[in-house]
Amino acid sequence: MTGQLNRVDVTVLPAGWQTLGSYPSEVSGSWSPALSPDGRHAAYVSDRSGTPKVWVQPVGSDLTFLVDTGEEPVQSVHWSTGGGWLACVLAPGGAPRTEVWLVRPDGSALHQVAGFGADTAENVRWLPGRPLLAVTENLTTTLLVDAEHGTREVVAEGDLVTLFDVSPDGSRALLRHGARSSRYVVVRDLRTGVEEYVTSGEQACFGPDGSVWARSDAGERPVLLRTATGAAQILAEAPDAEVESFALTPDGSRVAVLWNADGGLSRLTVDSQDIGLPGTVVSGLAWSADGSTLAFTAEAPGQPHGVWVWDGELHPVSVEPPAPGAVRPTLRRFASHDGLEISGWLFQPATPGPHPTVLWLHGGPEAQERPGHGPLFQSLVDRGIAVFAANVRGSSGFGRSFVNADNGPLRWAAVADVAACVGHLVSTGVADPARVGCMGRSYGGYLTLAALTTYPELFAVGIDVCGMSNFATFYEHTEPWIAAAAVSKYGDPVADAELLRELSPITRIDRLRAPLMVVHGENDSNVPVIEAEQVVAALAARGAEHKYLLFPGEGHELLHRSSRAEYLRETVGWLTHHLRVPSLLA
C-alpha cells in the first residue's frame, strides 16, 4: 500500500503494510530460518500470504517459492543436514497442539510423522549427518523418526521428559526432565538406562566428539557449558548478561552464542567475536550443515521479524523495510513495593505528559518484554497514549532468583508489582492517574485480571487476552502436559487448592470496576476458552460494561494476519474510548 494519507502529510509505506490511523500497523513477517547444507538456500516461515506458511528462497535472490503444507498454519521449519527433507511443525486450528510433517524442499512427498490424533509433537531437531529427527510427544514420549525409512523409534518415556539429542555413536541420549523452573539435563545410557546428571537447564546437544554442550542455568545467570570425561568447562559467561541460546556447527568447530543484555537487548557472538546486528532483538540461530553460514531472525520497534544470514558479512533474506516514524522505547528501572528492582520499556508520545497510559503485561511468566516489533504499542503512542511494557518478578532475563520470585504463594508480590508500576509512572509524570489502563495476554491476561480486581481504583480500563481467570478450571481443562509442567510455578491443584482459589481473579470479580474487553481464541487448549467465558458470564450477570472478542479458527496465538488486524483495531478503539483520547480526525 502506498500513498497512505495521515493527518497532515503523505507517507509512502512499504508494500504489504496495513494502516490504523497514521501509524502502519500490520505487515508480514518472516521467522524460523533453516539453511540448506551448503547455506545457499533458506527455508523459513512467513505470513505474507495471510497465514504462516513455509517458503524457500535462494540467499541473495528475491525469488521466493511456497512449499505447500496444506491449510494449517506453520510454526517452524527445520532443514535436514543431508538436505533432502524439511520438517514442518503445524498448529491445526491455531491451537497449542502441534504436528510434525516432512516434505521435500521442492514440495513433494508431504507426509505426517508425529503428533497424531490428540498428541502434540514439539522440540524438533535433525541429528547432524543422519536422516534422523528427534521429536518429543506430550512431554512423555521421546522419538527418533527415520526420514528415509519412515520408522519411529521410542528413545525414552516418562513424565515431563524431552529429547534433545542422541550421541553420534547412538549409545547415549540427552534428555531434559522436570517442570517449569526446575528442569535439568541428563545423559542416558541407552543400553543400561542409567542416567547421569549434567546441569540445570533448557538447551543441550552433543558435540561430534561426544561431549555435551549445554545452556546451564544452575547459577544466577545462564552460561554456556561443555562437559567431557566428567569435567565441566564454562565457555561463555558474563556478569551482566545471560546466555539466551547457542548454536553449534555439526563439526563442532564454531559456536554462535546469543546473549540477552541491558534489559532485553540482543548481542550475538561467533567464536567470541561480536557480530553487528540488524535489529534490537534476535532469535532462531541456525547453522548450515557445512558451518559456512548462520541464519537468524531479527526485529526492532517498527521493524517486523525478518530473516538474515551471516557468512562473515550480513545479508538480508526476507526482510520488510522499517515503518516510518516508529518510536524507540527507553528502559526504566525502579524499586518495587518491597525494594526489589523491576523494570520495563516505556514508549512515550512526543507531546509533554502526563499521558493516558497503558500498562502491558507479557505472558509466561517466564518470558520477557523486549524492545522488538510491536504494532499495538506504536499505534497507541501514535494516538498520544504512553505504553509501559513491564517486566515484573517472574520474568526471564534478570537471573535465576528473579524468575523464581513469583512461584506459588509469592505470586501476590508479582500482583503488587503491577501497582508499583502504576505508582512509578504517576510519580514521574508519565501517566495521568485518572487514565491508566492495564492489559496483557496469557499469563499477562491473568495478571491483568488479578490487578484489576486487587487494585480496582488504579485502572480506568482493562483488556484480558486469553488469560487464566480460575486456576481450578485451568488445571481441569488445559492439556495434561501443560498442567503437569505448571505445578512448580502456580501450585498443585489439590495440595494448594486454597491458595489457588485465593489467587484466582474470578473469586474477586465483583471488585472489578474498569470496563473490560475479553479476547480469546476459540480453539485455545493451553488456556481453554472457559477461562474467558466465566469472566464474561460474571460481568454480564452484574451488568458490568464489557466486550467479548472471540476468534474462531485461532488458538493460544492469533496466527492469521486478518485476526491480528481485527484484534488491533478493536483494542485500539476500546482503549482510546475509555482513556478519553480525542479522535485523530477531530
Side-chain angles (χ1 to χ4, degrees):
M1 184 183 297
T2 60
Q4 175 66 32
L5 185 65
N6 68 15
R7 287 169 290 181
V8 293
D9 55 52
V10 173
T11 302
V12 178
L13 304 177
W17 281 100
Q18 298 178 18
T19 62
L20 188 68
S22 62
Y23 180 77
S25 59
E26 258 302 322
V27 69
S28 63
S30 301
W31 61 93
S32 182
L35 292 169
S36 62
D38 60 5
R40 296 176 60 184
H41 289 77
Y44 54 86
V45 178
S46 177
D47 58 1
R48 60 169 59 104
S49 66
T51 302
K53 300 290 185 184
V54 176
W55 300 76
V56 172
Q57 183 172 339
V59 174
S61 170
D62 291 332
L63 296 174
T64 58
F65 304 92
L66 174 65
V67 178
D68 187 3
T69 56
E71 296 301 317
E72 302 295 354
V74 181
Q75 282 193 351
S76 63
V77 61
H78 311 262
W79 207 317
S80 66
T81 53
W85 294 99
L86 300 177
C88 307
V89 180
L90 276 62
R97 193 187 75 78
T98 49
E99 303 171 349
V100 180
W101 291 67
L102 297 186
V103 64
R104 297 290 187 185
D106 64 3
S108 62
L110 177 68
H111 62 286
Q112 186 178 359
V113 295
F116 295 95
D119 291 338
T120 191
E122 56 186 353
N123 292 295
V124 172
R125 181 177 187 265
W126 288 104
L127 303 192
R130 293 162 280 178
L132 298 176
L133 187 70
V135 181
T136 299
E137 290 184 330
N138 307 328
L139 293 182
T140 59
T141 306
T142 66
L143 304 164
L144 281 182
V145 175
D146 188 316
E148 297 302 330
H149 300 95
T151 58
R152 288 165 38 111
E153 176 188 355
V154 175
V155 176
E157 295 180 291
D159 293 332
L160 301 178
V161 62
T162 296
L163 175 64
F164 283 147
D165 204 355
V166 174
S167 62
D169 64 4
S171 67
R172 298 176 298 153
L174 262 177
L175 305 174
R176 185 191 72 192
H177 290 295
R180 291 160 58 178
S181 300
S182 58
R183 288 170 173 159
Y184 58 96
V185 179
V186 302
V187 174
R188 172 177 287 191
D189 187 311
L190 295 179
R191 291 163 295 195
T192 66
V194 174
E195 293 186 349
E196 179 184 354
Y197 177 87
V198 176
T199 187
S200 169
E202 295 274 356
Q203 182 191 4
C205 69
F206 283 112
D209 59 356
S211 61
V212 175
W213 296 63
R215 175 189 178 270
S216 170
D217 60 13
E220 183 60 27
R221 289 188 177 273
V223 302
L224 176 61
L225 192 73
R226 179 179 180 270
T227 64
T229 63
Q233 176 187 11
I234 295 178
L235 301 180
E237 64 176 334
D240 57 351
E242 295 189 355
V243 171
E244 182 178 350
S245 65
F246 71 94
L248 185 68
T249 56
D251 66 2
S253 64
R254 311 183 79 183
V255 61
V257 178
L258 185 60
W259 300 83
N260 182 339
D262 301 322
L265 295 171
S266 290
R267 186 163 64 89
L268 177 63
T269 58
V270 175
D271 302 331
S272 301
Q273 172 193 348
D274 272 293
I275 307 300
L277 295 177
T280 51
V281 179
V282 163
S283 60
L285 303 182
W287 284 104
S288 59
D290 65 2
S292 66
T293 308
L294 177 71
F296 56 85
T297 301
E299 59 174 311
Q303 176 186 323
H305 297 85
V307 170
W308 296 75
V309 298
W310 178 85
D311 58 6
E313 297 181 352
L314 281 173
H315 308 281
V317 176
S318 179
V319 177
E320 294 287 343
V327 172
R328 295 274 173 154
T330 56
L331 181 64
R332 290 285 186 100
R333 304 178 189 266
F334 54 94
S336 190
H337 54 92
D338 57 358
L340 180 69
E341 183 180 83
I342 59 177
S343 64
W345 292 94
L346 177 62
F347 296 76
Q348 285 198 87
T351 55
H355 308 284
T357 301
V358 172
L359 181 62
W360 167 266
L361 303 169
H362 64 70
E366 317 95 315
Q368 183 182 13
E369 194 59 49
R370 306 178 70 176
H373 177 55
L376 174 61
F377 299 170
Q378 298 292 339
S379 296
L380 292 173
V381 172
D382 186 59
R383 283 154 179 75
I385 301 173
V387 178
F388 186 66
N391 283 308
V392 302
R393 71 192 68 200
S395 303
S396 59
F398 305 96
R400 184 181 182 89
S401 298
F402 194 86
V403 80
N404 289 325
D406 67 340
N407 291 353
L410 300 178
R411 195 150 314 281
W412 291 115
V415 178
D417 282 347
V418 179
C421 289
V422 176
H424 170 77
L425 296 170
V426 171
S427 65
T428 55
V430 173
D432 176 351
R435 294 193 291 167
V436 176
C438 186
M439 69 174 297
R441 70 167 303 276
S442 193
Y443 173 78
Y446 158 78
L447 203 54
T448 294
L449 292 174
L452 292 174
T453 54
T454 305
Y455 305 101
E457 71 282 359
L458 294 182
F459 302 105
V461 64
I463 301 179
D464 156 34
V465 185
C466 61
M468 300 164 292
S469 61
N470 185 335
F471 278 111
T473 53
F474 164 73
Y475 273 114
E476 181 182 355
H477 294 283
T478 190
E479 303 284 3
W481 54 91
I482 294 175
V487 169
S488 59
K489 286 302 295 182
Y490 303 131
D492 185 276
V494 177
D496 301 311
E498 182 58 28
L499 170 65
L500 292 172
R501 191 191 73 81
E502 289 297 317
L503 285 167
S504 296
I506 197 67
T507 64
R508 298 183 305 280
I509 199 69
D510 60 326
R511 298 194 65 207
L512 188 143
R513 296 292 177 266
L516 180 67
M517 184 163 79
V518 179
V519 183
H520 222 100
E522 188 175 39
N523 298 335
D524 192 348
S525 59
N526 183 328
V527 179
V529 72
I530 189 175
E531 297 303 301
E533 290 173 342
Q534 58 192 304
V535 171
V536 171
L539 296 179
R542 288 174 47 214
E545 185 176 2
H546 68 282
K547 184 171 188 175
Y548 186 25
L549 192 60
L550 182 66
F551 285 95
E554 298 283 9
H556 198 55
E557 306 270 356
L558 298 181
L559 297 181
H560 299 81
R561 285 180 62 197
S562 58
S563 297
R564 296 201 304 272
E566 181 182 353
Y567 159 73
L568 189 59
R569 185 169 56 251
E570 294 287 346
T571 297
V572 171
W574 184 258
L575 293 173
T576 53
H577 173 70
H578 289 288
L579 293 177
R580 306 191 306 278
V581 177
S583 169
L584 290 175
L585 301 178

